[in-house]
């Protein structure tokens, strides 16, 4: 017996629309880049503090500062490592940290601009807002200053260094360098830039490492400001002392 068929018309079949494949997650992940920024930033801050403490030996005279520089370059960690090896290990760590810090910062800034689109970020006002918006600029200034400072004081490469540069004589090299008013002024500008960059960077580290409590965040902000002020004042008194003849 035949089975009756429906007399209703067949519904129009809507062709399936292929959904666009979701964009793969960015690599490395944003949280990884922020962690790299935080860790390398802390490494650079510790270096800035230790470097300042060593440089303040200039007020103790040439023998103290030159002796400290020799110990740092030749004897630190010896005989755990051969004489003269520590400074190269230290430089490798610092260069790696600096490059990782810069690279992570550039990628994060690009991602933030892409996510924000044409809209300007709201809610950033006052000093903290200025610091946040100028982190890339202050970072570029500091990178240029680091290169200049190494050529001036460490390698003695002219024209960054003076004609009086002598390898191993840290005291005389610093004094000769800061007796040039333009170099001293550039150093003061760089230290002020460093303070802005460092203070906001340390405050960001507290947030990026997961601090959520109000007291903890306030403590982090106070610590960032205190360290920034210490580095600012400690570094500024050196060129001022040279220019005024207190250190000569």
């Amino acid at each position: 017996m035949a089975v009756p068929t429906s007399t209703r018309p067949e519904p129009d079949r809507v062709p399936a629309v292929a959904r666009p494949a979701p964009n793969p997650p960015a690599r490395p992940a944003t949280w990884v880049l922020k962690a790299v920024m935080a860790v390398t930033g802390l490494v650079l801050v510790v270096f800035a503090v230790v470097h300042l403490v060593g440089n303040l030996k200039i007020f103790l005279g040439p023998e103290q500062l030159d002796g400290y520089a020799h110990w740092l370059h030749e004897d630190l960690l010896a005989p755990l490592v051969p004489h003269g090896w520590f400074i190269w290990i230290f430089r490798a760590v610092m260069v790696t940290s600096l490059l990782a810090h810069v690279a992570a910062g550039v990628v994060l800034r690009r991602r933030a601009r892409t996510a924000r689109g044409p809209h300007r970020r709201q809610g950033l006002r006052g000093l903290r807002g200025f610091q946040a918006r100028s982190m890339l600029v202050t970072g570029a200034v500091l990178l240029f200053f680091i290169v200049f400072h190494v050529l001036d004081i460490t390698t003695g490469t002219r024209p960054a260094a003076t004609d009086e540069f002598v390898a191993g004589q840290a005291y005389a090299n610093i004094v000769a360098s800061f007796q040039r008013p333009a170099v001293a002024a550039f150093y003061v500008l760089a230290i002020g830039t460093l303070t802005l960059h460092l203070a906001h960077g340390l405050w960001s580290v507290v947030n990026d490492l997961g601090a959520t409590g109000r007291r903890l965040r306030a403590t982090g902000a106070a610590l960032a400001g205190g360290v920034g002020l210490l580095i600012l004042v400690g570094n500024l008194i050196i060129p001022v002392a040279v220019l005024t003849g207190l250190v000569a």
Side-chain angles (χ1 to χ4, degrees), residues 208-223:
D208 291 342
L209 293 182
T212 56
R214 179 177 298 179
R215 290 184 179 180
L216 185 58
R217 289 164 64 91
T219 301
L223 180 62

Side-chain angles (χ1 to χ4, degrees), residues 188-213:
V188 170
L189 172 64
I191 294 304
T193 303
L194 173 62
T195 301
L196 289 173
H197 192 89
L198 183 148
H200 182 74
L202 282 177
W203 184 82
S204 298
V205 166
V206 174
N207 293 273
D208 291 342
L209 293 182
T212 56

Side-chain angles (χ1 to χ4, degrees), residues 43-244:
V43 171
L44 296 172
V45 168
V46 171
F47 164 74
V49 174
V50 173
H51 186 64
L52 169 62
V53 173
N55 283 346
L56 288 177
K57 291 183 179 293
I58 195 171
F59 293 101
L60 302 178
E63 292 184 1
Q64 290 288 331
L65 183 59
D66 292 349
Y68 167 75
H70 177 81
W71 170 78
L72 187 65
H73 283 74
E74 300 294 335
D75 297 333
L76 184 57
L77 294 185
L80 182 63
V81 298
H83 288 274
W85 279 34
F86 167 79
I87 193 63
W88 292 106
I89 297 172
F90 168 77
R91 286 169 177 169
V93 172
M94 294 307 302
V95 169
T96 301
S97 298
L98 182 61
L99 292 178
H101 193 78
V102 172
V106 170
V107 174
L108 285 173
R109 183 63 175 265
R110 185 181 299 125
R111 288 184 185 177
R113 285 193 171 185
T114 301
R116 186 172 67 243
H119 306 289
R120 184 179 178 87
R121 186 177 177 182
Q122 302 296 323
L124 291 177
R125 298 183 178 87
L127 179 60
R128 183 167 295 172
F130 172 76
Q131 289 174 316
R133 288 190 297 269
S134 61
M135 286 295 280
L136 200 61
V137 175
T138 56
V141 172
L142 291 175
L143 187 60
F144 176 76
F145 168 72
I146 290 170
V147 173
F148 177 85
H149 194 58
V150 168
L151 295 176
D152 180 19
I153 302 298
T154 303
T155 65
T157 304
R158 296 174 180 81
T162 66
D163 294 334
E164 293 82 15
F165 179 88
V166 178
Q169 296 187 10
Y171 184 95
N173 293 335
I174 292 175
V175 170
S177 179
F178 286 156
Q179 283 178 341
R180 299 174 294 176
V183 173
F186 178 50
Y187 184 83
V188 170
L189 172 64
I191 294 304
T193 303
L194 173 62
T195 301
L196 289 173
H197 192 89
L198 183 148
H200 182 74
L202 282 177
W203 184 82
S204 298
V205 166
V206 174
N207 293 273
D208 291 342
L209 293 182
T212 56
R214 179 177 298 179
R215 290 184 179 180
L216 185 58
R217 289 164 64 91
T219 301
L223 180 62
V227 173
L229 184 62
L230 170 67
I231 291 178
L232 175 67
V233 175
N235 280 289
L236 288 185
I237 62 176
I238 297 175
V240 170
V242 172
L243 289 173
T244 58

